[in-house]
Structure formats: C-alpha cells, structure tokens
C-alpha cells in the first residue's frame, strides 16, 4: 500500500478526525490538500503536515459555496494533477432539543453536512483520476440511530449516506469508488467535546461502546487509507462503521443517559 505522490484532497481537513486522516496519507508520501473555512486553521494544518515531511497545500472555502470548492479542485489539478483520493468530512454539530432548534439552525447543519457532502463530491468529479479515484465520505452513527437532541445531524447524515450509495452506483462505471466511514466516538475531537462535555457524559458514552473506549483519530485514518487502497479495490457503496461496535445499539440509549 503506497500513496507516494498521490493527490489526496481532504474537505474539512484542518482539525480532528479529518486532519488525522490527512496525517496517515501524508506519512505514506501523499501530496495532501486541506480545505476549511478559516484561513488561519488552513495555514496551521498545512504547516503541520509539512512539518511531518509531506507536501501539503490548503484552501480557505466553505463547503456551502460550490464555486469556491470548484476553484480549489481546479487549482489542485493545475498544481499536482488529478485527484486520487477525496475525503469529505466537513461538518457542524451542536446539541439541542428539537423543540428549541430554529428552522435556520436545522438548515445550517443540513447545508454543511448534506448539501456540503454533495457539493464536495460533485465539484471534485471533473477533477478526479478516472479510472482509479476513491472517495470516502465521513458519516456518523446518527445516520442510522435516531438520537435525541441531534435531529439535524440525524437527518443530514442519513441523507449523506444515500448520496454516498447513489454516487457509488453512478460513478462506479467511471472507475470511481465511493464509500463512507462512520466513526464512533473518537477521543480528542470537537465532536465529542460538544456531545460529551462532562466526565459523566464521557463515561456514559464509553459505556455505550462494546469495546469500552473511545476510538482514536489514527484508527479512522488507517481505515480510510486502506479503503482507498488496492487492497479494498472491490469495495464500493458501503458505509463502514469504525466504532468499536457502537452502532450495534448504543447511541440512542446513550443519548437518553446523557440528557436524563
Ligand atoms: C441551538 C444553534 C446553536 C446551538 C448555532 N445555532 N449553534 N442553535 N444551539 N448550540 C443556530 C443559530 O442560532 C442559527 O440559527 C443557526 O444555527 C446558524 O448559526 P451560525 O452560528 O450562524 O452558523 P455557522 O456560523 O454557519 O456555524 C455552523 C455551526 C458551528 C454548526 C453552528 O457550530 C460550526 O461552525 N461548527 C463546526 C465545527 C463542529 O461543529 N464540529 C463538530 C462536528 S462533530 P438562527 O435561527 O438563530 O439564525 C459531528 C458529529 C459527531 O458532526 C458525532 C459523534 C458520535
Ligand atoms: P472538527 O474538528 O470540528 O472538524 C470539522 C472540520 O470541518 C474542521 O476542519 C472545520 O474547519 C471544517 N468545517 C466545518 N464547517 C465547514 C464548512 N461549512 N465548510 C468547510 N469546512 C468546514 O470535528 P470532528 O469531531 O473531528 O468531526 C470530523 C468529522 O467526523 C465530521 O464529519 C463528523 O460528523 C464526523 N464524526 C465525528 C465523530 C467524533 O467522535 N468526533 C464521530 C462520528 C463522526 P473550519 O472551522 O475552519 O471550517
């Protein structure tokens, strides 16, 4: 498995799980592009990846802005050639009861997590290596587990999973594989800081994972790299849980614990 000089584009790649994925590709010799809204965070992530000895560049753009994405993809191809791997993981989340969520709050998460997922894939399509490119969207357990106080994320991630599956059917004939990874609770991430802000809620989440621990960003990165490799060349259209067994039933029970 070598991604030496392969072009890896990570939307939402400036922190957390997505930066962890970028690191795993970078250590394998890939040329990594990160994109997120905040220029300072983009610069920091690029410096970090270069500090690991890799080639990296970045773009400040919002996944809700199609043209900005398209421009970033085109600039990537001009610099480094067609995109071999696309990771799409930009997302927004906050914990709120549905009765207190405004229509705009719901729309905001749909726009980032669902429309954004489509935008990233669609804007990348003309710039992907065909045949041979691989797309990995970052899902979440909420896509299949109805989770209280997460109505916006549940709806958005469920929709994004169907975007993954339909694109896998339509783009497979071009030689582009489209899959998703659904991480469980991952340590030291913004997502879990929001969902498990207290030691008690962190403990409740941990108890909901059959392996009784949070995952690591590196564990997600290693699976993402494998999923994009030749070793996984016949996998297309799956949403793969990487969650210590969390999706087997823990998330809705956990959410009730957290908010009881
Ligand atoms: C209720 C809220 C809210 C909150 C925002 N809103 N935060 N409503 N509770 N805590 C509402 C606002 O009032 C507004 O509605 C609307 O949402 C838009 O808010 P903005 O602040 O203008 O949105 P924006 O600047 O676009 O920021 C998006 C964001 C923000 C999602 C709100 O938190 C963000 O940028 N997040 C990115 C980082 C992140 O969330 N990372 C975690 C990903 S983890 P009104 O009606 O007032 O106009 C994840 C899953 C984890 O996705 C799964 C773990 C198992
Ligand atoms: P994170 O660190 O907040 O990562 C989110 C990334 O997306 C950041 O780089 C952020 O940078 C970027 N982003 C947010 N909104 C954007 C927008 N509108 N346009 C472009 N970029 C945007 O969160 P995380 O917890 O690691 O989550 C990463 C992914 O994993 C998400 O898809 C999340 O749903 C999924 N996930 C997380 C967990 C977990 O345990 N944390 C579990 C399951 C699934 P900017 O702020 O600079 O834009």
């Amino acid at each position: 498995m070598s991604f030496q000089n392969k072009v890896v584009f990570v939307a939402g790649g400036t922190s957390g799980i997505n930066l962890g994925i970028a690191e795993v590709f970078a250590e394998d010799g890939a040329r990594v592009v990160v994109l997120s809204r905040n220029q300072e965070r983009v610069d920091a992530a690029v410096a970090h990846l270069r500090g690991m000895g890799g080639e990296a560049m970045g773009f400040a753009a919002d996944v809700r802005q199609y043209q900005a994405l398209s421009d970033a993809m085109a600039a990537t191809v001009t610099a480094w050639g067609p995109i071999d791997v696309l990771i799409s993981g930009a997302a927004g989340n906050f914990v709120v009861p549905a009765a207190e969520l405004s229509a705009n709050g719901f729309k905001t998460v749909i726009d980032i997590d669902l429309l954004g997922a489509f935008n990233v894939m669609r804007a990348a399509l003309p710039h992907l290596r065909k045949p041979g490119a691989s797309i990995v969207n970052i899902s979440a357990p909420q896509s299949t587990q109805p989770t209280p106080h997460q109505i916006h994320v549940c709806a958005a991630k469920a929709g994004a999973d169907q975007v993954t599956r339909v694109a896998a059917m339509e783009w497979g004939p071009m030689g582009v594989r489209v899959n998703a990874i659904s991480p469980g609770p991952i340590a030291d991430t913004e997502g879990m800081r929001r969902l498990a802000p207290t030691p008690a809620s962190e403990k409740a989440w941990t108890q909901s994972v059959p392996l009784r621990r949070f995952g690591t960003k590196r564990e997600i990165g290693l699976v993402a790299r494998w999923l994009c490799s030749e070793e996984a060349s016949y996998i297309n259209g799956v949403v793969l849980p990487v969650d210590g067994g969390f999706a087997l039933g823990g998330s809705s029970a956990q959410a009730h614990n957290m908010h009881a």
Side-chain angles (χ1 to χ4, degrees), residues 60-219:
D62 193 313
V63 295
R64 292 167 282 191
Q65 302 295 326
Y66 186 86
Q67 190 57 48
L69 290 173
S70 193
D71 291 347
M73 310 283 182
T76 298
V77 175
T78 300
W80 286 344
I83 296 167
D84 296 287
V85 168
L86 176 69
I87 308 292
S88 178
N93 191 8
F94 46 83
V95 175
V96 61
E100 294 168 24
L101 177 62
S102 70
N104 191 45
F106 186 85
K107 179 180 184 298
T108 297
V109 170
I110 296 289
D111 283 352
I112 300 170
D113 292 25
L114 175 53
L115 180 60
F118 174 77
N119 285 347
V120 169
M121 285 177 36
R122 180 64 188 86
L125 185 62
H127 306 292
L128 296 176
R129 187 178 301 284
K130 295 188 265 317
S134 189
I135 298 174
V136 175
N137 294 318
I138 306 303
S139 184
Q142 288 93 328
S143 77
T144 55
Q145 298 276 334
T147 309
H149 301 187
Q150 290 281 273
I151 197 168
H152 43 352
V153 176
C154 288
K157 293 287 190 180
D161 283 0
Q162 287 294 69
V163 166
T164 295
R165 296 184 183 106
V166 175
M169 295 178 78
E170 293 196 15
W171 299 353
M174 301 177 200
V176 174
R177 294 188 296 118
V178 188
N179 293 294
I181 289 174
S182 181
I186 302 302
D188 190 24
T189 60
E190 182 59 28
M192 290 318 296
R193 276 188 280 278
R194 292 177 183 219
L195 286 159
T198 65
S201 56
E202 192 173 314
K203 188 175 173 196
W205 273 90
T206 305
Q207 290 302 316
S208 301
V209 182
L211 290 184
R212 292 292 187 273
R213 65 174 178 85
F214 282 12
T216 66
K217 290 174 266 193
R218 185 167 176 78
E219 284 176 312

Side-chain angles (χ1 to χ4, degrees), residues 1-6 22-30 52 225:
M1 192 192 305
S2 172
F3 284 87
Q4 191 74 35
N5 294 327
K6 299 278 190 195
E23 287 172 0
V24 170
F25 280 103
E27 71 186 26
D28 205 29
M52 292 175 58
R225 189 175 69 185

